Amino acid sequence: MAAPFLEVENLCKHFGELRAVDGASFHVGQDEMVGLIGPNGAGKTTLMRLITGILKPTSGTVRFKGEDITGQDTAKIVNKGIAPTFQVVKPFRHLPVGANVMVSCLCPRAKRRGDWVKTVELRARDALEFCGIADLALEPASVVSHGDLKRLEVARAIATEPELLLLDEPFGGLSPAETELMGKFLRRLHRGGRFGRLHSEGPAMVIVEHKLSDLMKIVDRVIVLSFGQIIVEGTPDEVVRNKEVIEAYIGKEVSSLVS
Ligand SMILES: Nc1ncnc2c1ncn2[C@@H]1O[C@H](COP(=O)(O)OP(=O)(O)O)[C@@H](O)[C@H]1O
Ligand SMILES: [Mg+2]
């Protein structure tokens, strides 16, 4: 078998006494769309930040396509093909929506196609169109709705032509209709929609999400984090039937999925 695409081994992040991530190990395959769930404060965002080098781990290893990338700078990691989106949207608010995406097109990874100078605007437009917000290209990000900023997060990430997307609560703050649209869109992206010229397949994905029923509809596998540790891994069906998961959540959303 080929080396797993993303390998996280025994990753730990301590903030003083607090073990936010406490020995997490998991793999993600190149063709996978994986959900990462767990109660508030379980360490999901911290784990994503460790993978993208925004935070440096206390111990443990992150390997991408067989290479040890533990603790490398975020810019370097993005350039290797891993792109994050953030739970709290982080646009350049003073820049137009289109320019926000053009910034991502300037990443060396995206620039390696020879004609990048001429096409940066076109490529940014392509990403905006794929995300359904091309009509907002000239609007300052500061006036755009929350739902559209969530899509802008994804547009900025895919403009770097990633092979692995790490999405932190892409459905956060979206209406049920917007959530469904975003879910379908992520699925289409994963299957290899027309965007992304460096690879014929769409990117692998790890999606952190609270909206479990919407998440379960789109992912192949689910990893459950509780107090910084992975307590269960399996298909959506296996996970919702697992007693430990239900106890970790004690939430009616999981119970309603099981019933
Ligand atoms: N930079 C930080 N400094 C100190 N504690 C932090 C920091 N970031 C996160 N934490 C703590 O680590 C734990 C996990 O947080 P987080 O990863 O944001 O959880 P989740 O995304 O699963 O809700 C929480 O107890 C949080 O308060
Ligand atoms: Mg979080």
Side-chain angles (χ1 to χ4, degrees):
M1 212 173 81
F5 196 53
L6 175 73
E7 303 167 89
V8 171
E9 257 172 52
N10 216 5
L11 209 57
C12 295
K13 180 66 183 179
H14 301 167
F15 297 111
E17 293 292 291
L18 177 76
R19 296 172 174 219
V21 174
D22 191 16
S25 301
F26 66 93
H27 294 176
V28 176
Q30 185 158 20
D31 57 353
E32 277 196 299
M33 196 158 172
V34 174
L36 177 63
I37 67 172
N40 237 329
K44 305 179 297 294
T45 293
T46 304
L47 186 48
M48 298 288 246
R49 286 182 175 153
L50 293 173
I51 297 169
T52 46
I54 295 166
L55 287 171
K56 312 291 174 209
T58 308
S59 60
T61 314
V62 181
R63 270 192 297 273
F64 182 55
K65 299 199 289 187
E67 183 190 352
D68 188 341
I69 58 161
T70 317
Q72 288 189 0
D73 286 348
T74 304
K76 217 169 159 187
I77 290 177
V78 169
N79 209 34
K80 289 184 194 299
I82 302 180
T85 73
F86 297 96
Q87 182 174 357
V88 179
V89 293
K90 290 190 175 173
F92 299 110
R93 290 192 186 270
H94 57 289
L95 290 183
V97 165
N100 265 271
V101 181
M102 285 160 69
V103 170
S104 299
C105 294
L106 296 173
C107 151
R109 176 183 177 77
K111 270 167 63 176
R112 67 187 180 199
R113 292 188 318 122
D115 56 351
W116 68 272
V117 177
K118 279 187 213 145
T119 59
V120 120
E121 203 175 338
L122 289 175
R123 293 174 61 243
R125 189 151 198 98
D126 207 11
L128 288 168
E129 260 165 27
F130 195 86
C131 294
I133 49 171
D135 55 326
L136 298 175
L138 299 177
E139 299 289 337
S142 56
V143 305
V144 170
S145 74
H146 174 75
D148 289 330
L149 288 178
K150 287 303 254 192
R151 297 207 231 181
L152 174 58
E153 282 285 306
V154 180
R156 291 172 69 196
I158 65 175
T160 67
E161 310 219 6
E163 292 172 66
L164 172 65
L165 259 182
L166 303 178
L167 303 144
D168 199 349
E169 303 206 12
F171 302 155
L174 299 186
S175 70
E178 287 173 327
T179 299
E180 199 184 329
L181 261 177
M182 177 68 93
K184 281 191 179 151
F185 157 71
L186 293 176
R187 234 10 272 173
R188 185 160 56 96
L189 180 64
H190 179 64
R191 279 200 312 266
R194 63 186 169 75
F195 191 82
R197 298 177 179 98
L198 291 182
H199 340 277
S200 50
E201 297 100 30
M205 295 187 194
V206 179
I207 308 176
V208 169
E209 202 29 81
H210 271 300
K211 294 186 178 172
L212 296 188
S213 51
D214 295 298
L215 179 71
M216 300 292 195
K217 279 183 213 154
I218 61 168
V219 294
D220 310 309
R221 193 155 61 85
V222 179
I223 296 170
V224 188
L225 201 64
S226 178
F227 295 107
Q229 298 184 336
I230 291 170
I231 55 167
V232 180
E233 246 187 279
T235 63
D237 275 355
E238 286 161 2
V239 164
V240 294
R241 281 181 180 77
N242 192 302
K243 196 165 159 282
E244 266 187 85
V245 177
I246 297 164
E247 282 172 5
Y249 268 102
I250 323 172
K252 53 182 186 312
E253 189 168 12
V254 170
S255 333
S256 68
L257 277 173
V258 175
S259 62

